[in-house]
Structures are given as C-alpha cells and as structure tokens.
Amino acid sequence: MTITTLVIAAIAFVAFNGLSCFNTKFRDRFFGTLWRTRYIFAFVAAVYFLLPAIIGPSASHSILSMLPSIILQFVMAIVFVGFQFGMMFWMMGNANKPEVYLPGDAPTKEWSDWIGSEGVKKELQKAVESLRRWELYEKNGTKPLNGMLLYGPPGTGKSLAAKVVASQAGLPVVIASAASLNGPFMGMGMLLVRGLSRRVKKLARKYGGCVVFLDEIDAIGATRSGLGGGMGMPMGGMGGFMGGGMGGNGTLQSLLTVMSGAEGGETFLLKLRKRWGLAKRDKKHTWRILWMAATNVALETLDPALIRSGRFGSKKLAVNAPNDDNRRALFNLYLRKKNVADDLDFDQLVQLSRGMTGADIEEVCEAAMRTIIFEGSDRPLAFADMFAEIRLHKNGVPRSVPLHEKERYPIAVHEAGHGTAVVLYPPAGMLCSGATLTPTEDFLGAVMFERVEELSLMMKEDCYRRVLIAVASRAAEKVVLNDASAGVSSDLNQAMSMALAMVEHYGMGDRLTSAAAIGGGHSPRAVEQAEDIVNATYEVAERLIDSNQNAVKALADSLVAEVNLTGPQVIDLVMQHAQIPFESVAAEVEGVVARLKQERKTRHQSTDVAPKAGDTSEVS
C-alpha cells in the first residue's frame, strides 16, 4: 500500500466521520441506505461462504477470481452504451441550442426601438416593472407576471418585443424556437425542455431574473386532440421509439410542468447533494422568470392548458401590422442613419406601404441602399429608389422572358379594364396606385390599388365594387377586343370568393346565414346566389366599359408605350375620358340579379306547364 493510498484513505475516513458526527441528514441517509440494502450484502456474504462448500474450494476460488473481471466488463459495457447515448443526445441538444443575450453583450434596446400598438407597449412595460420590483408585488400580496403570449402575423416585432423587455429589465434573454425542443427520439423533447429550464434558472440565479422567449410555440403547443402533438404521426416500423405519438405531448407536458414551478430545473449532481445533505435547499426564490411565446396561428388551435391564465395566457397580446403613424415612425427609424434625399416624400411611402409589416419596411429600406451601393453611386436615397423596392417587394422579381409583342396590347386592355373600374368605382378608402406590364412569376400585368384611409369595416357597396373591379377585365376584352383570354382565371376566383363570402358570411344574400356555423362546404343555394352576383356584376361591368371605351383604349395605349404607370398617371388618363354611367354599383347589380331570378322563375314555370310528349290536350 502506497503513501498516496494511505493519505486518500485517511482523508476519506476523516470526512466520513466529520459528516457522520455533524451532519444529521447525511448520517441518517447513509445508515438508512445500508439498512435498506442489507439483503444484498447478506446475499453476497452467503455466496462467498457457501460456494466453496457446494462446488469445492478450487472451483469456487476460480469463479470468485473471475467475478471482478466479469463485473468490470459488465460495468464497462453499460458505461460505453451510456456514453454513446449521452454523446448523441448532447450533440442533438447542442444543435438546437437557444440564443442567449446577456446584459451588456448587445446594444441596449429602448422602448423607441419597438414601434407598434401603444396598448401592447403599455402591457410590456408592466411586465418589465413586475421583473424589476417583484418584491414590491409580493409585499402587496400580488404575484408578478409569469407568462405572456404575443400573436399576430410574421414580421410584426414579436421577437424584438422580448429583447426590449429583457433589455429594459436589465436581464438576460433566452430565445429559442419551440420546434427545437422536439427531438427524433421519444423522451428527448422532455430532456431538451429540462435542459432549457436548468440553463434559464442558472441565469436567473446569477442575474436576479431571466426572460425566455419561445418562437412559433404552435410547433409544440397545438391542441392535444390526438396522438400527434408536436411530432406529427407515429413513424411506422420503429414502434414508439422514434418520437411519434408521445414526443410532442411529452414536450408540451414538460414545458407546462417547468412553467408551473414543479420542476426545479436542478442538475442530477445538485439533487444528489441535496438528498445527502451536502447542499442547502432554496427556502425562497430571490429571482423571477418571465416566459414569453409567439405564434402566427389562431389561438383556438393551441392547447388550452398552454394559454390558460398563470401560463402564457396571463397576457395575450395581439401584435398586428402597423398603422399609418407606426409605418411613418418605422421609415424614420430605419432611414435615420442613411444618406436620404431632402425631398423624400414620407406621405407617399406611408401610402405605398399599407399592409407591410415592420420587417418588410426594414428590408425595403436596406434593399434600396444596397441597390445604390451596387450601382457604385454615392447619391442620396430618393423616393424613386424606395418606390421601386416597394413595388419589387409586393410584386416580385420580373420574369426573365418578356411579353411577346402579340400579347402586349391584349394584356394592356385586360389591365385597362381593371384600371378604369378601380378609378371610377374604388372601394371605400382605396385608390389606384399604379399599373404595370412587367411580368412576374405571379402575373403578366397588374393594376395596383392601395388603402389611403385606415378603414376596418367593409360595406355592401365596397363588396360589389371589388367584384366589379375583378370582372371588368373580361368585360374590357369582350367590348374592346371582341375576344376572351385565359388570363381572367384569378379574377374570376377573386370575384366568386367575394360573392360567396357575401352570401355565406356577411349576410348579404337572400337570407341571413353563416356557413362557418353550419359547415359542410358551399351549399348549392349559396353557389347559385354567388353566381348570380358575379354574372350580374359582369353585365354591369360591360355597360361601364362600353361607356368608357375611350378611357380603356387610352390607358391600354399608354401601358404598351410606358410599361409602368404611377397611380396619378392612371387616374389622369381615365378621368380625361370618363363617363360615369351610374352612382351605386350595388343598386345596379341587385337590379340585374332580380331580373335574372325572374327570368329563371319564368323558365321553370314554362317547363312545369309545358305539355308532355304524347299529350294532345290544350294548355289554358
């Protein structure tokens, strides 16, 4: 026995005696464990003493001498397999490692960096206060905010909101995709959630709190109506081992457990030390965690347990596309550090960008500057650059094959029909913003109209005008070209979709009904009414185009010559030759619909009273 062995044995003896004398919990655990495992020791002793008597001293000596080697090999096999699985899980877990932003690592995010609804911003500021002064909340018998759900279209600033909250609270923020918490093996999602929990609580203990942001929470938080959860259908041939049925549900259940505080987020070694009395248990948390999540889907599709109060449902905030004032602020924010022309028209930019999100506006501003740099110019950013990038963003990249010369005028007439209708009968709050014959992968030509007023309610007249604008292209082809093209397929789709919505959802048909409540697809009666609306509107559109042939031809000629026209140019061309044949589109269309119904009724009556074959009686 070497000196080193003696020293180690002496240290172990002193440590054991010290813990036994002064740590009551260690002493109770140690001797309790010995007592519970007494039968194992008794079995080993019985084998050691009885084996020589049964098989003889020499044979028992041979077996007992081999026993340590067998045990060692068995332990090594277990360790090797465990090491393989551990490395595999470690590599898969690190591949999905969340982003962590510590205080001071990145520039401070101010409230002015997040532009959106003031109501949403106020709720975010309340969340910051609950993290900063949680002791005051608890002193007054109020629990600090635990969870928050942001929902709305992509690109509206949900991730940025989490960064601003963490930055203003002076806390680290952990950003992870919810889909990254799913694994290919059953149970791996639960391990990833627990790993995330340990990491978050470690940061919370160090900094006094932490903000967790889970993007696309619907990846694991879909309603648990079946086996799928976040992992879809079970993978055949592998039983339940490869994720499948239990993977998504297990991940979601683990996340719910972690959020409720039932899972301590402690490592195995820490739990072992606490069990043996070698580490102190936390009597009370001196830190807080705010769980934030974002989704682009309807809240009805998420699991009720996930969005209930006390979890992410404590605050459900709708983050929608920015309004006019917010878009103006976004353009100022993203252009403030760029070389911008003095006469840049922000009013026009706000009008052209309706429907765009904050991410869209940022990308348009950056793309416009990239184009100038690519051209090798150092000129300031002008309105024409922004206009071109907004059009490119909305319409897509032009097609590599230009329009054939024979197609240019028919397509121009088609678009001129749209343009004439939208100039003379625009839906409320909308205005023509341009026309183009530049083909893309989505269309051969287009007439654009944008919102000029932030209106949320669509009246019956607006619905009929949208159908009129859609079918005016076919009317122009018939009246001006005396022909028809296959280019109206998307127009007819839009017209029929609007007409069906009017009948089945808006209560603008013969009777009040709701297809959403009834279900089962489109009823024959609804389809018949929608077809009457579309055909009647087409008849009205023919009258409109016939009265304004000069305007249609002038607009088509200018499109062929110029290829791209701005909104004011389209409006001027149409208004120079405009003839407004009626005031209300709805009144005209409903008059035609009534006539069509009467004609159909008359035909049915004629069919019912017509003499049958072989019947020679007179019809009175």
Side-chain angles (χ1 to χ4, degrees):
M1 185 177 293
T2 62
I3 299 297
T4 304
T5 306
L6 290 173
V7 171
I8 294 174
I11 293 173
F13 179 77
V14 171
F16 173 76
N17 281 278
L19 289 172
S20 299
C21 294
F22 301 105
N23 193 322
T24 305
K25 189 171 185 178
F26 175 82
R27 183 174 63 249
D28 294 342
R29 288 283 184 184
F30 179 78
F31 290 107
T33 302
L34 288 180
W35 179 252
R36 285 191 293 270
T37 58
R38 62 189 182 276
Y39 296 110
I40 297 176
F41 290 106
F43 175 76
V44 173
V47 170
Y48 184 80
F49 289 108
L50 294 178
L51 194 62
I54 296 173
I55 63 174
S58 59
S60 64
H61 179 74
S62 177
I63 292 174
L64 291 175
S65 63
M66 294 172 57
L67 192 59
S69 177
I70 294 172
I71 294 174
L72 181 61
Q73 291 180 20
F74 180 72
V75 171
M76 289 295 294
I78 294 176
V79 170
F80 181 72
V81 172
F83 178 76
Q84 284 184 314
F85 274 95
M87 286 299 297
M88 180 174 62
F89 277 81
W90 181 82
M91 287 187 290
M92 290 181 178
N94 275 269
N96 299 327
K97 202 170 182 179
E99 300 178 36
V100 178
Y101 297 92
L102 301 177
D105 283 357
T108 302
K109 296 290 184 182
E110 303 292 341
W111 288 116
S112 58
D113 295 326
W114 190 86
I115 298 172
S117 167
E118 289 300 319
V120 173
K121 183 179 289 188
K122 184 177 180 180
E123 293 300 329
L124 295 174
Q125 290 170 342
K126 288 182 182 179
V128 170
E129 285 302 305
S130 72
L131 289 172
R132 278 178 174 172
R133 302 191 295 170
W134 60 269
E135 302 96 335
L136 182 61
Y137 283 75
E138 289 194 345
K139 182 180 178 181
N140 287 275
T142 302
K143 294 181 180 179
L145 186 64
N146 182 52
M148 179 181 290
L149 177 64
L150 308 177
Y151 63 96
T156 51
K158 296 184 289 293
S159 302
L160 179 60
K163 293 181 181 179
V164 172
V165 167
S167 178
Q168 290 299 305
L171 300 175
V173 57
V174 178
I175 300 178
S177 169
S180 67
L181 299 178
N182 277 325
F185 301 106
M186 185 180 69
M188 185 173 176
M190 294 182 283
L191 295 177
L192 291 173
V193 170
R194 291 181 180 180
L196 174 66
S197 173
R198 287 196 297 269
R199 186 169 192 179
V200 167
K201 292 186 176 181
K202 182 178 179 181
L203 290 170
R205 291 188 187 98
K206 182 177 180 180
Y207 292 94
C210 186
V211 177
V212 189
F213 180 74
L214 299 179
D215 202 6
E216 308 294 345
I217 191 63
D218 48 282
I220 61 172
T223 302
R224 292 174 287 182
S225 56
L227 293 177
M231 292 295 293
M233 295 298 292
M235 301 174 67
M238 293 298 290
F241 186 64
M242 292 294 289
M246 293 298 293
N249 279 344
T251 304
L252 176 59
Q253 291 162 356
S254 296
L255 179 60
L256 298 179
T257 302
V258 165
M259 288 189 67
S260 65
E263 164 60 45
E266 300 167 343
T267 63
F268 172 76
L269 292 177
L270 181 58
K271 289 180 179 179
L272 190 63
R273 288 170 57 200
K274 286 185 177 181
R275 180 178 178 83
W276 287 83
L278 302 178
K280 293 183 179 180
R281 294 183 179 273
D282 295 332
K283 294 183 179 180
K284 184 178 179 181
H285 292 164
T286 57
W287 39 266
R288 286 295 177 267
I289 296 174
L290 175 62
W291 294 84
M292 300 180 67
T295 182
N296 306 324
V297 304
L299 297 186
E300 293 77 14
T301 63
L302 297 180
D303 195 288
L306 187 72
I307 58 175
R308 73 162 175 82
S309 297
R311 290 176 178 153
F312 289 115
S314 295
K315 286 292 180 183
K316 295 190 281 282
L317 305 178
V319 185
N320 296 314
N323 58 24
D324 285 357
D325 293 336
N326 290 335
R327 288 198 307 280
R328 184 185 300 275
L330 285 166
F331 276 114
N332 283 315
L333 175 67
Y334 295 128
L335 294 175
R336 64 185 177 184
K337 295 182 179 179
K338 294 177 174 57
N339 183 17
V340 178
D342 295 333
D343 59 347
L344 186 63
D345 193 341
F346 281 88
D347 292 333
Q348 283 290 322
L349 291 180
V350 169
Q351 178 179 329
L352 290 171
S353 61
R354 285 195 172 92
M356 295 174 63
T357 65
D360 296 333
I361 292 173
E362 181 181 14
E363 178 56 32
V364 164
C365 296
E366 297 300 327
M369 283 304 302
R370 287 196 296 265
T371 301
I372 293 176
I373 296 172
F374 175 77
E375 294 171 352
S377 174
D378 58 353
R379 62 180 176 82
L381 182 68
F383 175 78
D385 303 309
M386 295 295 296
F387 179 83
E389 288 299 334
I390 291 174
R391 283 284 166 255
L392 185 63
H393 175 82
K394 289 191 172 185
N395 300 336
V397 179
R399 198 175 63 173
S400 57
V401 180
L403 292 177
H404 193 278
E405 196 63 34
K406 294 181 179 180
E407 295 178 324
R408 292 171 65 83
Y409 188 70
I411 294 175
V413 170
H414 177 106
E415 300 304 333
H418 287 311
T420 302
V422 77
V423 169
L424 298 181
Y425 297 98
M430 306 200 78
L431 193 67
C432 180
S433 59
T436 181
L437 283 187
T438 303
T440 69
E441 296 301 323
D442 297 325
F443 55 77
L444 299 177
V447 170
M448 290 76 71
F449 54 102
E450 312 281 352
R451 288 200 173 275
V452 292
E453 295 179 289
E454 294 288 343
L455 300 179
S456 302
L457 189 63
M458 187 164 54
M459 305 302 290
K460 182 167 67 172
E461 176 71 16
D462 301 322
C463 297
Y464 280 117
R465 290 189 177 198
R466 287 178 179 274
V467 179
L468 176 72
I469 293 168
V471 299
S473 56
R474 170 53 64 86
E477 292 175 351
K478 181 179 180 181
V479 173
V480 178
L481 302 176
N482 193 26
D483 205 345
S485 74
V488 297
S489 59
S490 61
D491 299 331
L492 294 179
N493 181 33
Q494 293 176 19
M496 195 64 183
S497 297
M498 175 55 71
L500 283 169
M502 292 170 66
V503 173
E504 294 185 323
H505 300 287
Y506 304 158
M508 299 178 184
D510 288 347
R511 59 179 64 184
L512 289 174
T513 184
S514 173
I518 298 172
H522 303 300
S523 67
R525 181 184 179 89
V527 172
E528 183 180 273
Q529 290 185 60
E531 288 177 343
D532 282 347
I533 291 174
V534 172
N535 284 280
T537 310
Y538 173 70
E539 186 174 317
V540 172
E542 279 190 333
R543 298 210 313 264
L544 170 65
I545 298 301
D546 188 56
S547 303
N548 291 274
Q549 288 193 52
N550 292 334
V552 174
K553 292 176 181 178
L555 182 54
D557 291 339
S558 295
L559 268 175
V560 171
E562 302 292 336
V563 180
N564 294 300
L565 296 175
T566 64
Q569 289 175 321
V570 174
I571 294 172
D572 289 342
L573 283 167
V574 173
M575 295 307 294
Q576 286 175 13
H577 308 86
Q579 298 290 330
I580 301 178
F582 43 81
E583 290 294 328
S584 170
V585 177
E588 294 295 319
V589 173
E590 288 178 347
V592 177
V593 168
R595 194 198 75 220
L596 293 175
K597 289 180 179 178
Q598 185 61 41
E599 291 175 353
R600 187 162 53 244
K601 182 178 180 181
T602 303
R603 286 197 303 272
H604 289 166
Q605 290 175 344
S606 300
T607 304
D608 293 339
V609 301
K612 298 179 181 179
D615 187 358
T616 57
S617 61
E618 294 183 356
V619 179
S620 57

